[in-house]
Amino acid sequence: MKLPSVPSYSQGAQDKALLSLTIGQAFDQTCMRYPDGEALIVRHQQQRLTWQQLAHAVDLHAKAFMALGMQAGDRLGVWAPNCLEWFICQFASAHIGVILVNINPAYRLSELEYVLKQSACQWLVCAQAFKTSDYHAMVQTLVPELAQRPLHSERFGDLRAVISLGAQPPAGFIPWAQLAVLGAGVSAAHLHARQAAVQPQHPVNIQYTSGTTGFPKGATLSHSNILNNGYMVGESLGLTAQDRLVIPVPLYHCFGMVMGNLGCVTHGTTMIYPSDAFDPGLTLQAVAQERATALYGVPTMFIAMLDHPQRADFDLSSLRTGIMAGATCPIEVMRRVISDMHMGEVQIAYGMTETSPVSIQTGPADGLELRVTTVGRTQPHLENKLIDAQGEVVARGEIGELCTRGYSVMLGYWNNPQATDQAIDSEGWLHTGDLAHMDENGYVCIVGRNKDMIIRGGENIYPRELEEFFFTHPAVADVQIVGIPDAKYGEQVVAWIKFHPGHTANELELQTWCKSRIAHFKTPRHFKFVEAFPMTVTGKIQKFKMREISIQELGEG
């Protein structure tokens, strides 16, 4: 007699209550609880603030924003790399009901224009420059009327002012230093009245999804969405006021501002920004010199730190935990992070911007095998299920599309109801587009994106599986698998390979190595050897770009 199959559905624990607070309330509570504790260290700006000092800075700038005329529901764009001012903008805007719009520091003119228009930004805070981008010149190109008072921009009818983080910005920009004077003119009672009107369900953040084709969509997130997600991530890590977390991931992304900033704020944990953008040496130095107990990063960051020529010179023994997320986490990299970087309690987290971001995470009690072969189990107060093409829940062990429901699901895409309806169904399930299978204990293994699956001669090939396989080769530091069209088989496999320093291999050697280890149809037809992969500023691999390049260089028509 055949036993009924168990459906691929799981519900997270309910034992920890969700926070029914706004971000401003949660921040203020922590600042009052640990006034003299070290709150934020920004190494590249030589800034070290206690919670009390940070609270003063946030309140002062929240009052300055009010003095400028910012109203509840206004959009404030922040276009800058990691810095103290980014943190202040995040929390000052949340205090007064203003919606923060995260703008990718790598954006150029057309991308900046799109985001400012799509979000109807009334206010913009920008750095002076970053890497090869002159932000002042780019803003002046888009807004030639900037020096007008009041501002009337032909392109951006909603834009009212641009605040510069530069020391001496050109005419038309409001200097950041001037905000302290403006803030001093607003009473604490006025600020508290504004803060009291803000509710947990109100929108607080718009983040534009990256790495896909087409125009980015603005995932709109509430106080409740991201505050609770940061809190639950921190709970899983066991963060306390004694922990010190190094945050080399971008603040403009959920990894930095939610899992990083909000995860720390809800636990009184010290936040450490090692540099304005990721640098492996500076990150290792920050861990060693600040005696950090936790470290965040995407796999490419951890690979760069592990392969850094001076890594052995840095004492990383203070590390206890951290998170590797944002992209597929290779098994061999995870093993080295645990053994070489002392991160014995490191966890994997899975999610997406639209789910605030984390919906699945490994736990502190999970053994190494579970941490390197799955992304964990459903987060507290959330549900996950795997469905087939007809929308039916598949049995445990079968592959299906992952769907998530619960407090973390975004309010919707900003000013895009059609895209919202395509992503979130009538029962509140967000369809991720990721393929996964779930074991008998509810652990989930991501096998790839719906659109990334390769079908060669009728055989389904999951890039994640092949990538994990290639990580076991001693010369391979990183690998990405894509498919390209093929007249005979439908698709062929292309492996993009990055070698460890001092190692190499050729196409024939790798194909021979594959021969006795994997099925012949999985062996890549083509190899491309590279120093780096196309990726977003957050470290997400852009497989669609890799596919386009592969078709141009290797396609057979």
Side-chain angles (χ1 to χ4, degrees), residues 44 83 90-91 133 166 168 206 215 219 228 287 320 467 550:
H44 57 287
C83 58
Q90 179 183 349
F91 287 85
S133 295
Q168 293 180 307
I206 299 173
F215 290 110
N228 278 294
V287 170
R320 168 181 69 82
E467 286 158 3
S550 299

Side-chain angles (χ1 to χ4, degrees), residues 291-512:
R291 304 307 294 153
T293 60
L295 171 63
Y296 282 178
V298 299
T300 51
M301 291 179 177
F302 280 105
I303 290 167
M305 286 185 280
L306 286 164
D307 284 345
H308 192 274
Q310 277 85 49
R311 176 175 57 82
D313 298 338
F314 297 108
D315 179 5
L316 310 179
S317 61
S318 59
L319 283 175
R320 168 181 69 82
T321 190
I323 288 179
M324 197 195 302
T328 299
C329 302
I331 291 170
E332 288 306 309
V333 174
M334 179 61 124
R335 292 189 198 279
R336 290 181 65 200
V337 166
I338 292 169
S339 63
D340 299 355
M341 297 181 72
H342 306 279
M343 294 174 64
E345 298 176 27
V346 65
Q347 296 183 21
I348 294 289
Y350 161 86
M352 56 197 302
T353 306
E354 291 87 341
T355 56
S356 301
V358 178
S359 51
I360 304 171
Q361 190 172 348
T362 58
D366 290 338
L368 174 62
E369 193 62 25
L370 288 169
R371 282 186 283 165
V372 298
T373 59
T374 78
V375 292
R377 290 191 284 190
T378 301
Q379 266 252 4
H381 297 278
L382 298 178
E383 299 171 88
N384 283 301
K385 68 177 181 179
L386 305 180
I387 61 170
D388 61 20
Q390 287 71 47
E392 299 298 320
V393 178
V394 302
R396 296 278 174 114
E398 293 182 8
I399 291 173
E401 183 190 4
L402 176 63
C403 301
T404 298
R405 183 167 69 176
Y407 80 82
S408 72
V409 173
M410 66 176 177
L411 299 176
Y413 290 118
W414 183 263
N415 199 25
N416 196 341
Q418 184 179 357
T420 302
D421 291 342
Q422 289 172 351
I424 305 171
D425 67 26
S426 59
E427 295 180 341
W429 290 99
L430 184 133
H431 294 243
T432 68
D434 283 333
L435 298 172
H437 56 80
M438 183 183 293
D439 74 9
E440 64 275 12
N441 296 312
Y443 286 90
V444 175
C445 177
I446 306 295
V447 297
R449 295 285 293 164
N450 247 333
K451 62 177 183 285
D452 288 341
M453 187 175 73
I454 301 165
I455 305 176
R456 181 194 179 278
E459 299 277 7
N460 291 354
I461 299 170
Y462 299 98
R464 167 72 191 269
E465 178 194 0
L466 259 186
E467 286 158 3
E468 293 291 4
F469 166 72
F470 273 102
F471 269 107
T472 64
H473 190 285
V476 175
D478 207 351
V479 55
Q480 296 295 325
I481 301 292
V482 297
I484 62 172
D486 179 79
K488 183 177 181 181
Y489 292 101
E491 285 186 284
Q492 286 285 10
V493 179
V494 182
W496 286 49
I497 302 282
K498 179 184 175 185
F499 294 116
H500 287 294
H503 290 74
T504 188
N506 61 37
E507 190 165 306
L508 179 60
E509 287 169 340
L510 289 172
Q511 287 180 329
T512 304

